[in-house]
Amino acid sequence: MTSPDTGAATGAGSAPVAAPPASLAVARVNKSYGPASVLRGVSFELTRGHIHALAGGNGSGKSTLIKVLAGIERADSGVLSRPGRSEVELSGFTPVQAREAGLRFVHQDLGLLPDMTVAENVAFARGFPKRGGRRIAWRRLHDSTRALLARFEVDVDPGATVRTLRPADRAMVAIARALADDDPDQVLVLDEPTASLPHHEVDILLDGLSRRAKQGQTILYVSHRLDEVLSVADSVTVLRDGVVAATRGTQGLDQLQLAELMAGRSLGTLYGDERHPSSAAEPEPSVRPAPVLEARGLSAGRISNIDLDVRAGEIVGLAGLLGSGRSTLLRTIFGAVRPTSGTLKLEGEAVTSPSIKTAMRRGVALVPEDRLADALFHESSVAQNITIATLARYVRWLRLSRSRERAVAADMIGDLQIKTTGPDQTVARLSGGNQQKAVVARWLQRAPRVLLLDEPTQGVDVMTRADIYERVRTVAATGTSVIVASSDVEELAHLCDRVVVLRAGRVTAELSGTEISVRDIVKYSYADKEAS
């Protein structure tokens, strides 16, 4: 059999079997911003009861296409058609028309009010039932919400505050709310629904989506996470530079093949060569080089009594569940969080007055987890964002040399393959992956002795991941000490020489050599090593 979107299939000696009818068809979508063409002739179909993935790198046009389907952005041309409904021109498509067409959206930001109950969040979409014309019928609201949640197999109390729910349940509540009017013809569009979920919660959500599809739900699934796409989707459309590069079934497709469809080139291996040597190859403690960074009994905020050594050229991973203290440890090393006890040494010299200024002066750099809130100057140019941490280099006689600043930025743009129209483009106009590269470029300008990376590949495409991994390995090879905090355990298992696992602010395990595996990182994230 062929995939649902590759046409009819035939069996040996049998008549052709018609492919299932399309639940939704999008044809010839074009969209430009000035001279920049973002979508060019994009066409694809969705089949009822199937999960169809939309994949592509940062800047491929995925986000723009989703905005066009939601009526938030107007296409230059293109049509949307559904069985039994009139064809709609996307050049004038509005959010009201999107809803009338049966499209329901759940975005990465779920749009739930965390301090309101589940029932209240559902009611904001469905309306509050009234008693006597004016008073809210709370019992009826809770009963109807309970019935809705049962239909979606979501086991939560309608009276529970959304903030208290586990992340996967919040996502399922948002999905249930989106599909609350129970129209079997609805198309559910999920835009990066697992981006903020911890690793162990992802499977819960994906299982729920698979059950919905088996019940006849049509789902368009957008994600950077290729393992999710291949595990949950029946078929996939790949966008590359605004054009459909491929549409095919996922059966028989692996992550590297999908990544290469997205990249349009060979990637070799997704993670490159593994760095960590076998334990037997580790030098004796007496001959190991002195650590560049040394923490002893370090406590601050979420972390308590942390001992950590990192040597020149070493990549050390920090693993642990949400709230384990990974980010707090990095921010403490960077001087953004003041320690309450313990000692921190850089190249053998104690840090007596920790601050960001001190850390930067001594060669420490931090790429933070939330680039939008903590790293980017949104209305400034790409050049200004890259050079802001080394601005003094471009000042002569109290005047800033913009030409020199742009020239250096242009070199970094080329070196890190940042997709931009030029150094003067506003950084807010870049895709998420290219924004991340700009932040990395900023700190590489300082040639740091210690590079701290907090979720360096969160929300970026597979090609940007490969570029960032290559850059991290190159920097480490020059002698820079690198600490990577990540919720992606596969990333840590392949990239790092050692992995330190945190749980509730304490070190529960340190893995090296052949000990480093996805299984063991996950195991020690949930239980102390001694108790395992």
Side-chain angles (χ1 to χ4, degrees):
M1 297 287 289
T2 64
S3 70
D5 42 40
T6 53
T10 59
S14 63
V17 178
S23 174
L24 176 146
V26 173
R28 305 177 301 281
V29 180
N30 294 287
K31 174 65 179 177
S32 297
Y33 295 99
S37 181
V38 181
L39 298 173
R40 290 176 287 159
V42 172
S43 301
F44 64 92
E45 294 183 352
L46 306 184
T47 302
R48 181 178 171 82
H50 286 262
I51 300 177
H52 187 98
L54 185 63
N58 292 111
S60 64
K62 296 194 313 297
S63 295
T64 300
L65 180 57
I66 295 302
K67 290 175 182 176
V68 167
L69 294 179
I72 298 170
E73 293 278 3
R74 301 288 178 90
D76 299 328
S77 61
V79 295
L80 180 146
S81 59
R82 304 212 56 202
R85 306 186 189 214
S86 300
E87 190 173 82
V88 182
E89 291 285 341
L90 290 172
S91 57
F93 205 50
T94 66
V96 172
Q97 287 177 301
R99 184 163 187 85
E100 289 173 347
L103 299 179
R104 302 292 183 266
F105 294 83
V106 175
H107 300 282
Q108 181 176 337
D109 180 351
L110 300 176
L112 297 175
L113 299 172
D115 294 317
M116 306 292 279
T117 67
V118 172
E120 288 167 336
N121 271 275
V122 169
F124 281 121
R126 302 176 80 184
F128 286 85
K130 298 295 178 61
R131 184 178 60 190
R134 300 187 63 177
R135 300 180 64 183
I136 295 174
W138 290 106
R139 179 176 295 179
R140 202 187 324 157
L141 172 61
H142 279 242
D143 288 345
S144 63
T145 302
R146 188 174 290 106
L148 172 67
L149 297 174
R151 178 153 53 89
F152 285 84
E153 302 179 61
V154 185
D155 186 19
V156 300
D157 181 355
T161 305
V162 165
R163 189 183 298 280
T164 65
L165 303 183
R166 63 183 181 180
D169 284 337
R170 290 178 207 162
M172 286 305 297
V173 166
I175 291 170
R177 183 178 67 174
L179 300 174
D181 45 5
D182 198 24
D183 178 355
D185 199 31
Q186 292 172 135
V187 173
L188 175 63
V189 182
L190 297 170
D191 189 5
E192 299 286 355
T194 64
S196 60
L197 294 187
H199 196 270
H200 63 287
E201 296 268 344
V202 171
D203 288 343
I204 298 171
L205 178 60
L206 298 186
D207 286 345
L209 296 179
S210 295
R211 290 195 301 271
R212 291 298 305 169
K214 288 176 182 176
Q215 295 165 11
Q217 182 71 59
T218 304
I219 299 175
L220 178 61
Y221 187 87
V222 184
S223 179
H224 280 116
R225 297 179 175 178
L226 304 191
D227 56 336
E228 294 175 15
V229 167
L230 295 176
S231 69
V232 77
D234 302 289
S235 52
V236 58
T237 290
V238 177
L239 292 183
R240 186 170 65 240
D241 296 327
V243 176
V244 174
T247 292
R248 57 158 293 175
T250 56
Q251 187 173 4
L253 190 65
D254 64 30
Q255 287 192 54
L256 185 58
Q257 290 170 328
L258 180 53
E260 289 179 341
L261 285 174
M262 293 164 58
R265 60 184 171 89
S266 173
L267 295 176
T269 61
L270 204 54
Y271 292 96
D273 297 329
E274 295 192 10
R275 284 178 52 93
H276 43 78
S278 67
S279 299
E282 284 289 310
E284 293 296 324
S286 59
V287 297
R288 288 180 187 170
V292 172
L293 182 143
E294 181 181 353
R296 291 290 179 270
L298 193 65
S299 299
R302 291 179 181 270
I303 62 171
S304 177
N305 200 32
I306 299 290
D307 291 341
L308 177 68
D309 291 337
V310 186
R311 292 171 174 78
E314 194 176 27
I315 303 176
V316 175
L318 295 181
L321 304 179
L322 188 69
S324 62
R326 298 177 318 223
S327 296
T328 301
L329 178 53
L330 292 189
R331 288 169 58 80
T332 303
I333 294 170
F334 191 58
V337 175
R338 184 173 289 273
T340 54
S341 62
T343 60
L344 184 65
K345 292 183 179 180
L346 289 170
E347 298 187 296
E349 184 180 341
V351 179
T352 54
S353 300
S355 67
I356 293 174
K357 182 178 180 180
T358 299
M360 290 178 62
R361 189 172 64 244
R362 297 185 62 174
V364 182
L366 171 66
V367 175
E369 177 182 12
D370 189 343
R371 62 176 173 265
L372 296 177
D374 300 330
L376 291 173
F377 297 89
H378 297 264
E379 299 308 315
S380 297
S381 69
V382 176
Q384 290 167 327
N385 271 271
I386 289 175
T387 60
I388 189 67
T390 52
L391 205 57
R393 298 179 186 178
Y394 315 109
V395 175
R396 292 291 185 274
W397 306 106
L398 301 180
R399 297 187 65 181
L400 179 64
S401 172
R402 291 293 186 189
S403 60
R404 188 159 180 260
E405 180 186 41
R406 283 194 294 270
V408 170
D411 287 342
M412 293 301 294
I413 287 168
D415 194 26
L416 272 77
Q417 301 181 56
I418 301 173
K419 288 186 178 180
T420 173
T421 58
D424 294 325
Q425 183 178 11
T426 303
V427 78
R429 302 290 298 182
L430 299 187
S431 66
N434 288 299
Q435 289 175 344
Q436 184 75 337
K437 286 184 181 181
V439 176
V440 172
R442 173 191 303 166
W443 292 109
L444 293 183
Q445 279 284 295
R446 294 183 64 88
R449 294 291 295 124
V450 178
L451 178 60
L452 311 174
L453 302 171
D454 197 353
E455 300 286 5
T457 62
Q458 180 173 266
V460 304
D461 63 70
V462 67
M463 293 84 75
T464 302
R465 279 175 175 257
D467 291 342
I468 290 175
Y469 295 150
E470 181 181 359
R471 179 57 51 175
V472 169
R473 293 171 189 276
T474 300
V475 167
T478 67
T480 297
S481 303
V482 182
I483 305 179
V484 182
S486 178
S487 56
D488 187 334
V489 293
E490 192 169 359
E491 177 173 87
L492 295 176
H494 287 84
L495 184 65
C496 300
D497 301 299
R498 286 187 292 128
V499 175
V500 174
V501 183
L502 299 179
R503 181 168 174 263
R506 295 178 177 270
V507 174
T508 62
E510 183 176 316
L511 308 174
S512 61
T514 55
E515 295 178 322
I516 300 178
S517 68
V518 170
R519 177 183 175 276
D520 283 345
I521 294 172
V522 171
K523 179 174 72 172
Y524 296 135
S525 294
Y526 283 91
D528 293 342
K529 188 172 184 179
E530 295 77 13
S532 301

